[in-house]
Amino acid sequence: MKPAPFEYFAPESVEEALDLLEQHGDTAKILAGGQSLGPLLNMRLASPEVLIDINRLEDIAYIRHDDGYLKIGALARQRTIERSLLIPKSWPLLYEAAPYIGHPTLRNRGTICGSLAHADPAAELPAIATALDAELHILGPEGERSARPEEFFESYMTTSLKPEELLAEVRFPPPRPRTGVAWLEVARRHGDFALVGVAAVLTLREDGTCEAARLVYTGVAPVPYDAREAAELLAGEQPDGESFDAAAEKAAELSEPGSDVHASAAYRRHLIRVLSRRALGKALERARGEGDGSP
Amino acid sequence: MDRHRKTVHLTVNGVEYEREVEVRKTLADFLRYDLGLRGTHLGCEHGVCGACTVMFNDSSARSCILYAVQADGADILTVEGLTSPEGPLHPIQEAFRKHHGLQCGFCTPGFLMPALELLVEKHGPTEKEIRNAISGNLCRCTGYAGIVEAIREADAMWERP
């Protein structure tokens, strides 16, 4: 047997899942897609006493458009992003990044909320949720609460979720006009975790100058690196090579990437510079409506 | 019943089974050792190599990081179910044979599943789409060229149901 022994529950309703979480709290893990948890269990890096499998909860497998928001339930699979007609049009950042999440077979089972709750510092979705100011809706014994990404992601694979809580839904706010986005990343091989990935969001004023920007990175910090100081340099500026270079430089300068077996800190900083410039350039084209606007 | 064991009912290759399993048993081990379907191979056993890929309710999935209990009520297809033991090879298998899409054959059962999934979903996939579909599977013999060629030919030859 690969994993250590555990007790297994497959609740038939969200209420039942929450009851089980309340009962078993600290010693339990939610099993959704299992594409990260499975390997951890098999290698015995994790050995929870109880697994609460939420794969029977079809009613929280939704992706829907509601009140301008994109609402994604806890069991919605990553693969559904690629097959959605709505997401490429209105939340293209999510659509553009989806193919970088592992491989198709992994995305068949891996869930969007599961990736957020797992909070791998090199994963795509936490950075995207941060860049798009997503809201995380959490259910627990005290009812519902909502968290912003910067409150939710605390450290490496650590979130503000309490042991008895479930990340039930992530909500992406409506797209803003004159806004272009881009996702770029560098990995050793396609489908591997990124050495560095960047989400760029650029909003223009009617006169073509930059109103606001966001630059959020994966792979360079314990939580998504939200380079606000760098992005704020762009506000009021002409969006061009010069201002993009300045923002990219600032983002690299203020970053504190680590060195590991995959890449040195200096190389990661280099990637921040290069990818930021490219991503801003791409976001600008899209904000101006050049090309067909789709990734 | 022991709280670490459960009874599962599932369909594998069109045959219904009911078995009691230890809940930590992977679906791959269940298929191989409880059902004797050893066509599903285990390489890395932690979701990296793709050798253990099966179809789980019509979607490709890695059976080494699924537990047999999760397949309760599910419909599973393994390489043994692609064609009858006496019958001709499945057109995708035939194309793999023709184009040297395998050498040692260890990874092949895993490759057939995303190939099947792609071809059921799509007629005339591009090379990029083929390579993307099989990107989660590792083959150390072929260099992938034969596999891509085989899937391209299977696309042309296979009359989908």
Side-chain angles (χ1 to χ4, degrees):
Chain A
M1 298 282 169
K2 298 295 288 181
F6 52 76
E7 210 174 334
Y8 172 89
F9 295 98
E12 301 282 342
S13 69
V14 174
E15 293 68 33
E16 199 188 328
L18 291 171
D19 283 348
L20 286 162
L21 274 172
E22 202 176 352
Q23 256 175 68
H24 299 285
D26 260 338
T27 59
K29 269 282 177 199
I30 294 276
L31 173 62
Q35 304 299 290
S36 298
L37 183 57
L40 289 174
L41 293 172
N42 281 5
M43 292 189 281
R44 301 202 178 190
L45 293 169
S47 45
E49 287 170 24
V50 173
L51 278 192
I52 302 170
D53 180 359
I54 61 168
N55 282 281
R56 313 256 157 201
L57 308 184
E58 279 303 323
D59 54 339
I60 52 169
Y62 58 85
I63 288 195
R64 62 172 169 247
H65 192 200
D66 185 8
D67 207 13
Y69 279 73
L70 177 69
K71 299 185 175 176
I72 298 177
L75 194 61
R77 314 280 175 186
Q78 291 151 4
R79 201 75 196 276
T80 51
I81 300 174
E82 295 153 77
R83 294 180 170 142
S84 157
L85 296 175
L86 171 72
I87 294 176
K89 205 167 121 272
S90 298
W91 289 273
L93 188 59
L94 209 46
Y95 185 73
E96 186 169 37
Y100 291 95
I101 306 168
H103 304 285
T105 300
L106 292 184
R107 297 195 293 276
N108 277 344
R109 293 205 61 84
T111 64
I112 296 152
C113 286
S115 173
L116 295 171
H118 185 60
D120 190 297
E124 287 79 10
L125 289 167
I128 285 160
T130 305
L132 295 180
D133 293 317
E135 295 166 17
L136 302 144
H137 285 262
I138 296 162
L139 296 178
E142 275 106 64
E144 190 181 351
R145 73 180 176 97
S146 152
R148 296 192 312 270
E150 55 271 36
E151 302 162 334
F152 185 75
F153 299 112
E154 293 187 337
S155 186
Y156 289 100
M157 298 177 175
T158 307
T159 67
S160 67
L161 273 180
K162 298 190 192 85
E164 63 279 10
E165 288 182 327
L166 172 74
L167 175 58
E169 183 182 277
V170 56
R171 292 183 192 168
F172 290 92
R176 282 173 299 175
R178 296 183 304 280
T179 298
V181 297
W183 175 265
L184 289 177
E185 73 172 59
V186 169
R188 309 268 304 208
R189 290 165 302 195
H190 176 74
D192 282 6
F193 277 112
L195 297 177
V196 174
V198 59
V201 182
L202 187 67
T203 302
L204 300 179
R205 293 187 180 129
E206 274 184 44
D207 68 3
T209 60
C210 178
E211 181 181 308
R214 288 295 285 278
L215 289 166
V216 182
Y217 303 81
T218 192
V220 297
V223 295
Y225 166 44
D226 186 358
R228 283 187 186 261
E229 274 188 63
E232 277 163 12
L233 290 179
L234 290 165
E237 295 294 318
Q238 285 297 333
D240 55 21
E242 202 182 318
S243 62
F244 290 173
D245 279 353
E249 194 54 50
K250 192 73 166 175
E253 188 191 313
L254 295 178
S255 69
E256 294 173 355
S259 289
D260 56 30
V261 62
H262 305 294
S264 66
Y267 183 59
R268 284 201 162 91
R269 244 191 215 110
H270 168 74
L271 289 177
I272 292 177
R273 261 183 223 110
V274 174
L275 293 178
S276 305
R277 281 198 294 263
R278 285 186 198 159
L280 285 167
K282 238 171 146 180
L284 175 63
E285 279 178 29
R286 291 171 183 164
R288 284 176 173 163
E290 292 165 6
D292 62 0
S294 64
Chain B
M1 197 195 300
D2 177 343
R3 64 202 170 93
H4 292 115
R5 300 182 73 82
K6 272 208 156 48
T7 301
V8 294
H9 308 255
L10 73 170
T11 305
V12 182
N13 303 330
V15 180
E16 285 184 34
Y17 296 90
E18 180 179 315
R19 291 283 191 283
E20 193 195 306
V21 293
E22 194 169 343
V23 294
R24 62 174 166 150
K25 180 171 270 188
T26 65
L27 177 60
D29 282 345
F30 174 77
L31 293 169
R32 287 175 58 82
Y33 302 114
D34 293 45
L35 303 188
L37 298 169
R38 301 212 174 123
T40 297
H41 292 167
L42 279 161
C44 71
E45 299 190 70
H46 65 276
V48 173
C49 76
C52 68
T53 308
V54 299
M55 297 300 281
F56 186 105
N57 294 337
D58 297 327
S59 288
S60 64
R62 290 171 170 184
S63 61
C64 75
I65 49 173
L66 273 164
Y67 300 100
V69 276
Q70 292 186 272
D72 187 31
D75 193 353
I76 308 291
L77 176 77
T78 70
V79 63
E80 289 91 344
L82 282 179
T83 184
S84 73
E86 304 78 33
L89 291 175
H90 185 281
I92 303 178
Q93 289 173 305
E94 187 57 43
F96 267 65
R97 194 193 62 76
K98 181 172 164 196
H99 290 280
H100 304 285
L102 66 149
Q103 187 178 314
C104 82
F106 188 87
C107 68
T108 314
F111 267 95
L112 294 171
M113 299 299 156
L116 179 78
E117 185 177 33
L118 173 72
L119 296 181
V120 166
E121 211 164 271
K122 195 152 202 154
H123 287 251
T126 62
E127 177 172 342
K128 200 175 164 196
E129 286 168 332
I130 293 172
R131 287 187 177 271
N132 178 52
I134 59 170
S135 64
N137 292 66
L138 298 179
C139 170
R140 301 291 78 172
C141 300
T142 62
Y144 305 99
I147 295 175
V148 172
E149 208 39 58
I151 296 173
R152 206 200 302 272
E153 167 142 337
D155 168 57
M157 303 305 289
W158 180 26
E159 288 179 34
R160 271 75 135 191

